[in-house]
Amino acid sequence: MNKLEFDYTIQSLQESGYRNIMPIRQFLKIPNAKKELWDCLSRFVAKPQWLPEYDDVVAWLENNEGRGLLCLGNCGRGKTLVCSRFIPVLEYLFYKKFVSCYDAIDLNNKIDEMKQKNLVSVDDIGTESEYLRYGEHRQPFSELVDSSEKTGMLLLLTTNLTTEQLKQRYGIRTYDRLHKLTKVVQFIGDSLR
C-alpha cells in the first residue's frame, strides 16, 4: 500500500470514529540530575540526607524514556517530596511545564479534571475510598491510568502499597498498564520523620 492509499484509508476510518492518534509522551532529560535533586532536597528539608533510592530517581530524571514514576514503599522515606515537590520544581525549571499535584482523595472528586492534564502527580494512591455517587460506580484511578496510556500523560505516583497490593486493589489490567507507563522505585528503610 502506498502513502496515498494509506492516508485515504485512515481518513475513511476516522469518519467512522477510528482513533489513530498516538500518545505524545513526555520526555525528561535533566542534566546534572543528581546535583539538581540534591539542591531541591537541601532547600525543602532542614537536615537533608541522600537516600539510596534517590539514585534510581536520578536515573529516571536523566532519561525517563517517556515513562512516569511510581514511588512505592515505606512511610517517611521522601516519596511525596520527590513526586509532589522536587520533580514539579525541576519540570518547571528545565521545561517550563506545570505538574498538577493531587492527593489520592482528589481522585473521586477531580478525576475528570485530572484526565485533562499532561503532567499529574498523585500522592498516596490506594488510600482513596470507593467511588459511588448517586448509583454511579467509577474506578477513577484505573481511568487515570487508561487516560495516561491513550494521551501520553506523565504520571508521578506515590503509595505505601506493595506491587502485589496494587494488583489486588486495582486489578491486573490496570497494574499491567501502570507497570508499562512508569518506572517503579522502591523506598525501603526506616521512616525519617
Side-chain angles (χ1 to χ4, degrees), residues 97-174:
K97 293 183 180 179
F98 291 100
V99 175
S100 300
C101 297
Y102 300 92
D103 292 316
I105 58 172
D106 294 323
L107 282 165
N108 288 340
N109 300 319
K110 298 180 180 180
I111 184 59
D112 293 323
E113 171 188 317
M114 294 165 88
K115 288 169 38 179
Q116 301 302 313
K117 307 291 184 178
N118 290 324
L119 302 160
V120 174
S121 172
V122 184
D123 191 36
D124 280 333
I125 60 169
T127 61
E128 71 277 8
S129 61
E130 182 180 357
Y131 183 102
L132 184 59
R133 191 169 293 150
Y134 305 112
E136 178 186 20
H137 182 78
R138 292 176 73 179
Q139 297 174 326
F141 182 71
S142 295
E143 288 181 34
L144 186 67
V145 172
D146 288 349
S147 182
S148 174
E149 183 178 50
K150 291 174 184 168
T151 67
M153 172 199 318
L154 188 78
L155 295 175
L156 305 170
L157 308 167
T158 71
T159 186
N160 297 123
L161 301 179
T162 65
T163 54
E164 204 51 48
Q165 290 169 324
L166 285 171
K167 287 179 195 175
Q168 290 173 2
R169 171 134 182 141
Y170 299 113
I172 191 67
R173 177 181 169 274
T174 296

Side-chain angles (χ1 to χ4, degrees), residues 3-182:
K3 182 176 175 12
L4 186 60
E5 289 172 328
F6 184 81
D7 291 344
Y8 176 77
T9 302
I10 293 295
Q11 183 179 1
S12 297
L13 286 171
Q14 285 176 328
E15 293 170 7
S16 69
Y18 173 77
R19 291 179 46 150
N20 71 324
I21 301 169
M22 294 299 294
I24 300 170
R25 298 279 168 226
Q26 309 288 324
F27 289 89
L28 297 177
K29 290 189 178 185
I30 295 180
N32 302 312
K34 187 169 186 172
K35 178 196 172 304
E36 299 297 342
L37 190 61
W38 177 254
D39 286 349
C40 286
L41 187 66
S42 298
R43 286 177 174 81
F44 280 93
V45 179
K47 295 180 182 177
Q49 61 179 302
W50 191 262
L51 303 178
E53 44 267 53
Y54 291 168
D55 291 326
D56 292 331
V57 174
V58 166
W60 179 85
L61 287 168
E62 289 172 341
N63 184 4
N64 75 334
E65 299 174 346
R67 297 170 70 197
L69 185 66
L70 171 59
C71 295
L72 56 87
N74 298 346
C75 298
R77 296 290 296 174
K79 298 181 301 294
T80 299
L81 285 173
V82 166
C83 289
S84 297
R85 305 294 186 280
F86 302 164
I87 293 173
V89 167
L90 295 173
E91 182 71 35
Y92 186 76
L93 180 66
F94 285 90
Y95 295 99
K96 301 299 184 238
K97 293 183 180 179
F98 291 100
V99 175
S100 300
C101 297
Y102 300 92
D103 292 316
I105 58 172
D106 294 323
L107 282 165
N108 288 340
N109 300 319
K110 298 180 180 180
I111 184 59
D112 293 323
E113 171 188 317
M114 294 165 88
K115 288 169 38 179
Q116 301 302 313
K117 307 291 184 178
N118 290 324
L119 302 160
V120 174
S121 172
V122 184
D123 191 36
D124 280 333
I125 60 169
T127 61
E128 71 277 8
S129 61
E130 182 180 357
Y131 183 102
L132 184 59
R133 191 169 293 150
Y134 305 112
E136 178 186 20
H137 182 78
R138 292 176 73 179
Q139 297 174 326
F141 182 71
S142 295
E143 288 181 34
L144 186 67
V145 172
D146 288 349
S147 182
S148 174
E149 183 178 50
K150 291 174 184 168
T151 67
M153 172 199 318
L154 188 78
L155 295 175
L156 305 170
L157 308 167
T158 71
T159 186
N160 297 123
L161 301 179
T162 65
T163 54
E164 204 51 48
Q165 290 169 324
L166 285 171
K167 287 179 195 175
Q168 290 173 2
R169 171 134 182 141
Y170 299 113
I172 191 67
R173 177 181 169 274
T174 296
Y175 179 78
D176 186 58
R177 288 180 175 179
L178 185 61
H179 185 71
K180 172 189 154 200
L181 295 169
T182 61

